[in-house]
Amino acid sequence: MKITSVEEFTTIVTQYENSWFRGVSSPIYDLRPRIHWDNIDIFSEDDLVYGFLREQFKYHSSINSNPWYLYALMQHHGLPTRLLDWSKSPLIALYFALTQKAVNEDDHRVWIINPYKLNGFFTGVERVFCPSQVDTQMRYIETNTYFSAEKRSLEKYPQDIKVKLLFDSYLPANLTVSEKHLLLDFPMAIETIPLDSRMSAQQSAFTVHGKCTKTLEEQVASGIVEYIDIDFHSRNKLLQQLHRLGIVEDTIYCDLDSLAKRLRREKGYL
């Protein structure tokens, strides 16, 4: 489906319950984390993380040593990770779709995901967890099912065997606080505490991706991931409508540079 106004967009997205949204400037940007986009192998990933951990104290001070907090911090500041950003607000996702650098005259896109169905599809547990707020010994899902990549469905272990799916198995080696576990194949939807006012304003959430380098939409069943395309030639009209609804530069980015940019735009000095 393709829309040309915010009214059309809100009519569609209000039909989705418990969903997250991701705005991109073009359909060519499918649902893969930066690690997979850039073909970064696991050893290079560890090197990047080690460098960040070694140098970050020069510019950032926090007593929070939870590895998931640190991993989200790396993603927040542009380090390639296994995390993919989402927003709980469809209007914020629409703003990102319209303001990112255009690709030729491609239509813009807002991806939609049901995080509960995603986790249920891969683990059998329709819940979204926040590993950054959970003690090390409790960061797992206990289940008697496993995801069969060949059948693309959940299968049961024999004799009611239960296994623990460890959230920390997604983390690079330099962030794990216990022994390293095998990286899971499939993605999961997770939440984290806001690192700052920007993450809070953007209503941030994540999917974290495993070994499988297929796009998220290729890995899941129908009805879990959908999208809305936005007509390229309607971009300026939609942005003006968003501005009138209070979706503006400084409410998104929460800093003085964005405030100044908004004021220049409103007075016609951009």
Side-chain angles (χ1 to χ4, degrees), residues 4 49 58 64 90 115 181 190 212 217 266 269:
T4 60
V49 169
K58 296 188 293 187
N64 193 334
H181 299 279
I190 63 169
C212 181
E217 61 272 27
E266 289 177 346
Y269 298 132

Side-chain angles (χ1 to χ4, degrees), residues 155-187:
E155 303 292 323
K156 277 198 172 185
Y157 285 108
Q159 301 176 343
D160 290 329
I161 295 173
K162 288 191 174 183
V163 298
K164 292 181 179 179
L165 301 179
L166 303 172
F167 294 118
D168 288 3
S169 68
Y170 289 105
L171 292 172
N174 287 310
L175 279 177
T176 53
V177 293
S178 59
E179 61 181 290
K180 180 64 178 173
H181 299 279
L182 290 176
L183 175 63
L184 297 174
D185 285 323
F186 51 80

Side-chain angles (χ1 to χ4, degrees), residues 28 45 50 56 145 153 230:
I28 68 170
E45 179 185 8
Y50 175 73
Q56 56 135 344
T145 61
S153 63
I230 299 97

Side-chain angles (χ1 to χ4, degrees), residues 76-94:
H76 187 55
H77 289 284
L79 200 75
T81 72
R82 296 185 176 278
L83 297 173
L84 192 65
D85 293 292
W86 295 82
S87 173
K88 296 178 183 179
S89 167
L91 293 182
I92 290 172
L94 178 60

Side-chain angles (χ1 to χ4, degrees), residues 243 248-249 260-270:
H243 292 158
V248 296
E249 293 87 341
K261 184 176 181 180
R262 173 175 65 82
L263 294 173
R264 293 199 311 273
R265 174 180 55 77
E266 289 177 346
K267 298 302 181 181
Y269 298 132
L270 279 183

Side-chain angles (χ1 to χ4, degrees), residues 63 73 76 130 153 184 214 217 227 230 233-235 253:
I63 60 173
L73 186 69
H76 187 55
C130 183
S153 63
L184 297 174
K214 290 182 179 179
E217 61 272 27
Y227 62 83
I230 299 97
H233 299 288
S234 301
R235 174 185 177 274
Y253 293 105

Side-chain angles (χ1 to χ4, degrees), residues 29 42-43 47 98 106 170 197 225 249:
Y29 296 120
I42 196 166
F43 303 106
D47 286 343
L98 297 172
D106 287 358
Y170 289 105
S197 57
V225 173
E249 293 87 341

